[in-house]
């Protein structure tokens, strides 16, 4: 009976072992070391010696080190740990349980081996040696001898430091196919008897890619390639020639002032004077005196012409991020058409040689406008809009550039020099600062009036950004850009106003009702807010990395930020093209590399206490958050920014009209819900709040201002709201969160389950 029981036990154990039961699946060997239980047992007679002390002297990325070690009380459980950095005892971590003391050691070894691995008599002699291969891991190394086994380690000896000759050297290149597969073809593609003759020919079209080419013949197919022959080099006559131009476009009209503005006795004397600031708008100027007021004007006198020395000069550069993170676009305006001059940008890293990148040229006519006044009294020739693409930028590097036009007589017209800092690599851990606002518009620095005089805070916002320019990396202006409303000259005025900002930082735009809306033109709202522009100006005056700028939704990355910019003047509801874009944009971000996910749109698709929404019995655009809030929650959008309402408001982390967490100035731990922020106080006339305040409305300010986001690292984000009048902070909050906090489930952020599942 006992023998039968023993046989049964052996059979069960064999079955368990063969099925893997009792063995951890995919166990990481280092996890077997309970390093947090380490105690100090340093022994005067114990030692670990490592040689050589400097590795990689011939530029190798890996090298061998020999260890000699000794311990007077040896056992078969003694082991050697390899640590990097060498000062492994300096790392500190908090205990998982608050009632426990912090562990002595908080750094696992990068590899380990038992002390008797190659010294069979180590148990008797207490002496041993090991030969280990190290790879360059950017830090120095040390080697520690432990007794007590892996589960109860006691540190008895530590070696001196070992390092690579250049621990910061570039190492371990990883090749991967890009979105283009550039380029192969089967040897028999155009030679049907290649299999018999071993001879063949191909005709391939190459494009200038700034380098020479070679052609290689492989056997073994794509899965097991064997290189059998390589051609000589082939090159373009000028591989560095400017190639592949891309195009862009457009602009608006002018200003007036009362004759007695600076002459109080004009009514008595009939004499007066004015000082006006003009900007180069590609044409000459004249000044006309009218009587009869604005409603019944009578022309009584006209001045002689005034002109700029070169009215066609390139002006008002606007930077924007390209479709790739290491690409910057430059858009500017000039009076030179393609039959008069070749536009380009001369640029390069600061202090290095300069190269030239060609620019594309576009313009548009009165017939491109959809209605009055853009098509009638507001029309003004926009000049020519040029865009050049500066590619293959080095992250964070400073570049200089200037705009150029080569005339048909081979002479050149140049702008003044400008500079910018290239964007960081997506996911790069560094200080990154973003300014966000909407509805800024423009104003006249000389005090003169222009159409609609609707943006009294515009200059204050502009001046505050210029003052803080060194502490801003990128600007996002989310719609209602200049309120030209069909008076084309105002786009020139606006691009001139923001030139100190947009010529230095990427100035990314969203689109609002005052850029797009016009009846019968496909805009979601059938009103006349664009003054007949119907999107043409916003689509061409500024570059955005959209697939189709007529549908002005796009994504862009800046270091640790991933931005999804929607176009509220097109339908965003489920089943539409834009809804698919929004979901793809939110779902495609790698939150380990880019933890800060930001949604932006012009009209309020989230929450606002604007009185004009309240008058309609709502707090949003019709079908706004009902269409999108499940996406924001599912993909854990940190902050949703909106304009359109001309004030500042911040909500609690809110979902389904309920505060999932109380409003605060500090949030830590797992994501719970999106915070919604209205930043429509960029400069246009202020909007009032409702008299009844909703529970989700945490902070309100009836003033002009803008938001600033600062990502300190992958774990801490700061939002500040600053007033345009003084630049001081009036609201702020911090998000402190680790990657594991993003992975966890919040309300409706994970797949819905039932008890059955």
């Amino acid at each position: 009976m006992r023998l039968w029981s023993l046989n049964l036990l052996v059979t069960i154990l064999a079955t368990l072992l063969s099925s893997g039961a009792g063995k951890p699946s995919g166990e990481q060997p280092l996890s077997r070391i309970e390093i947090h239980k380490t105690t100090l047992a340093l022994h005067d007679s114990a030692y670990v010696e490592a040689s050589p002390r400097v590795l990689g002297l011939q530029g190798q990325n890996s090298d061998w080190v020999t260890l000699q070690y000794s311990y007077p009380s040896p056992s078969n459980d003694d082991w050697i740990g390899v640590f990097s950095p060498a000062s492994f005892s300096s790392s500190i971590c908090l205990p998982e349980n608050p009632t426990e003391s912090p562990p002595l050691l908080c750094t696992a070894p990068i590899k380990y081996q038992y002390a008797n691995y190659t010294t069979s008599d180590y148990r008797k002699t207490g002496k041993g040696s090991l030969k280990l291969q190290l790879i360059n891991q950017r830090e120095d190394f040390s080697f520690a001898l432990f007794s007590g086994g892996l589960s109860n380690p006691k540190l008895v000896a530590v070696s001196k430091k070992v390092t690579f000759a250049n621990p910061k050297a570039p190492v371990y290149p990883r090749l991967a196919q890009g979105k283009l597969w550039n380029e192969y073809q089967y040897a028999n593609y155009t030679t049907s008897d290649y299999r018999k003759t071993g001879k063949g020919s191909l005709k391939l079209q190459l494009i200038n890619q700034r380098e020479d080419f070679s052609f290689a013949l492989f056997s073994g197919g794509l899965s097991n390639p064997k290189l059998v022959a390589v051609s000589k080099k082939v090159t373009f006559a000028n591989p560095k020639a400017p190639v592949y131009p891309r195009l862009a476009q457009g602009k608006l009209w002018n200003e007036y002032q009362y004759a007695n503005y600076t002459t109080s006795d004009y009514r008595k004397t009939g004499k007066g004077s004015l000082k006006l600031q003009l900007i180069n708008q590609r044409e000459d100027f004249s000044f006309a005196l009218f009587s009869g007021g604005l409603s019944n004007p009578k022309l009584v006198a006209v001045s002689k012409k005034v002109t700029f020395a070169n009215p066609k000069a390139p002006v008002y550069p606007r930077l924007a991020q390209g479709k790739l993170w290491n690409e910057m676009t430059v858009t500017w305006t000039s009076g030179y058409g393609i039959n008069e001059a070749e536009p380009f940008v001369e640029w390069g890293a600061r202090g290095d040689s300069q190269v030239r990148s060609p620019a594309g040229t576009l313009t548009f006519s009165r017939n491109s406008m959809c209605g009055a006044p853009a098509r009638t009294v507001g029309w003004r020739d926009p000049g020519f809009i040029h865009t050049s693409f500066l590619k293959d930028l080095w992250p964070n590097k400073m570049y200089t550039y200037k705009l150029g036009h080569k005339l048909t007589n081979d002479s050149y017209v140049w702008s003044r020099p400008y500079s910018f800092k290239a964007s960081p690599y997506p996911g790069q851990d560094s200080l990154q600062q973003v300014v966000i606002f909407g509805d800024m518009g423009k104003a006249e620095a000389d005090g003169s009036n222009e159409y609609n005089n609707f943006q009294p805070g515009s200059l204050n916002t502009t001046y505050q950004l210029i003052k803080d320019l060194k502490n801003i990396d990128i600007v996002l202006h989310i719609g209602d850009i200049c309120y030209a409303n069909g008076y084309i000259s105002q786009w020139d005025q606006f691009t001139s106003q923001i030139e100190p900002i947009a010529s230095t930082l990427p100035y990314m735009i969203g689109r609002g009702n005052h850029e797009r809306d016009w009846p019968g033109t496909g805009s979601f709202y059938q009103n006349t807010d664009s003054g007949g522009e119907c999107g043409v100006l916003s689509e061409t005056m500024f570059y955005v990395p959209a697939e189709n700028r007529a549908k002005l939704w796009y994504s862009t990355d800046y270091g640790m930020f991933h931005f999804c910019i929607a176009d509220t003047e097109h339908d965003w509801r489920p089943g539409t093209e834009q809804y698919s874009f929004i979901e793809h944009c939110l779902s495609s971000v790698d939150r380990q590399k880019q933890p800060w996910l930001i949604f932006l749109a012009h009209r309020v698709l989230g929450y606002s206490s604007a009185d004009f929404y309240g008058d309609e019995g709502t707090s949003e655009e019709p079908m706004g958050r009902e269409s999108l809030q499940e996406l924001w929650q599912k993909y854990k959008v940190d902050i949703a920014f909106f304009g359109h309402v001309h004030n500042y408001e911040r909500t609690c982390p809110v979902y389904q009209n309920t505060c999932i967490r109380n409003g605060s100035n500090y949030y830590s731990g797992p994501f719970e819900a999106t915070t919604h922020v209205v930043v429509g106080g960029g400069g246009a006339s202020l909007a009032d709040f409702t008299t009844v305040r909703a529970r989700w409305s945490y902070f309100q300010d009836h003033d002009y201002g803008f938001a600033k986001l600062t990502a300190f690292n992958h774990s801490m984000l700061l939002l500040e709201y600053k007033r345009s009048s003084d630049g001081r902070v009036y609201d702020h909050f911090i998000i402190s969160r680790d990657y594991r906090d993003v992975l966890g489930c919040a309300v409706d952020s994970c797949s819905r389950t039932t008890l059955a599942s």
Side-chain angles (χ1 to χ4, degrees), residues 364-405:
F364 52 89
S365 70
R366 187 190 299 262
N367 290 337
S368 300
M369 302 294 97
C370 294
R375 200 178 172 100
T376 56
V377 297
W379 171 255
R380 187 179 190 276
D381 188 292
F384 299 95
I385 315 303
H386 316 281
T387 298
S388 182
F389 291 70
L390 316 185
K391 292 175 170 285
D392 298 324
L393 304 177
W394 293 74
N396 315 303
K397 201 174 187 73
M398 290 300 301
Y399 287 84
T400 58
Y401 72 98
K402 58 182 179 178
L403 317 173
H405 291 261

Side-chain angles (χ1 to χ4, degrees), residues 497-563:
Q497 178 176 310
I498 66 165
E499 179 187 14
I501 306 165
S503 64
T504 305
L505 309 174
Y507 197 99
M508 313 302 296
I509 66 160
R511 180 154 62 188
N513 49 303
H514 285 279
E515 285 79 57
R516 178 62 182 87
D517 292 359
W518 193 257
T521 63
S523 58
F524 194 41
Y525 297 86
Q526 296 292 301
N527 58 50
T528 60
D529 289 352
S530 76
E533 293 176 20
C534 54
V536 174
L537 275 298
S538 60
E539 292 162 19
T540 52
M541 292 298 292
F542 288 85
Y543 176 84
V544 297
E547 292 302 317
N548 178 356
R549 276 186 272 173
K551 302 169 182 176
L552 212 144
W553 55 75
Y554 64 95
S555 66
T556 192
D557 295 312
Y558 193 89
M560 294 176 284
F561 289 99
H562 183 68
F563 299 103

Side-chain angles (χ1 to χ4, degrees), residues 280 282 310-316 332-336 405 413-415:
N280 190 339
R282 299 168 304 283
N310 181 4
K312 293 186 175 185
V315 289
Y316 321 133
W332 73 96
T333 307
S334 85
Y336 293 109
H405 291 261
V413 175
W414 297 98
S415 73

